[in-house]
Amino acid sequence: MFVDPPAPEPWHKGDRPPRTTSPSQEDTPATYLFNPEYERLVVAWNNVKPQLDALRTALDKAYNLARSPQTWDAPVGERYVEDIREWRNRLALYRHAVLTAISDQAADTPRWVPTTAAIPRAN
């Protein structure tokens, strides 16, 4: 059994960007924006995890029913139990791979990015 990796941290009301200054303007603080790429990872996690949970729940229910002596009365039943066990193992590996990929990408993606929205530009 795998433990889920850490989920990307969504933006919460009251979150503040880092307090740094821009390199080009030492006395003017840089303006930051919550990174849209990071937000996509949060959304991906929130969309994928419930679906993976639903699949796991469905396979667990089928596995528990298949193992019940009231379900199978023939030796062929063990083959079906083995098949469902293999599907559960594959789903666990797939779940771990997908959630780890999202978590790793989120760890490599900054939550805040500097923006030039407040800097006036000549048209």
Side-chain angles (χ1 to χ4, degrees), residues 1 53-72 77-78 80-88:
M1 193 63 147
D53 289 341
L55 286 171
R56 183 174 60 186
T57 301
L59 277 177
D60 287 348
K61 182 178 178 183
Y63 180 71
N64 290 332
L65 286 173
R67 286 182 39 209
S68 170
Q70 289 85 19
T71 303
W72 300 108
E78 186 58 34
Y80 291 111
V81 171
E82 289 297 321
D83 286 346
I84 295 172
R85 183 179 299 128
E86 180 61 30
W87 295 337
R88 288 175 69 217

Side-chain angles (χ1 to χ4, degrees), residues 27-65:
D27 52 337
T28 306
T31 304
Y32 284 87
L33 170 72
F34 194 75
N35 191 348
E37 292 297 320
Y38 191 89
E39 182 65 27
R40 284 188 194 99
L41 293 169
V42 171
V43 169
W45 180 281
N46 291 336
N47 287 336
V48 166
K49 190 166 182 309
Q51 294 175 6
L52 291 171
D53 289 341
L55 286 171
R56 183 174 60 186
T57 301
L59 277 177
D60 287 348
K61 182 178 178 183
Y63 180 71
N64 290 332
L65 286 173

Side-chain angles (χ1 to χ4, degrees), residues 63-111:
Y63 180 71
N64 290 332
L65 286 173
R67 286 182 39 209
S68 170
Q70 289 85 19
T71 303
W72 300 108
D73 192 20
V76 71
E78 186 58 34
R79 185 177 64 204
Y80 291 111
V81 171
E82 289 297 321
D83 286 346
I84 295 172
R85 183 179 299 128
E86 180 61 30
W87 295 337
R88 288 175 69 217
N89 291 339
R90 287 182 187 182
L91 179 62
L93 290 171
Y94 179 73
R95 173 193 175 91
H96 184 70
V98 168
L99 294 180
T100 299
I102 294 171
S103 181
D104 288 351
Q105 186 66 37
D108 294 340
T109 304
R111 289 187 76 211

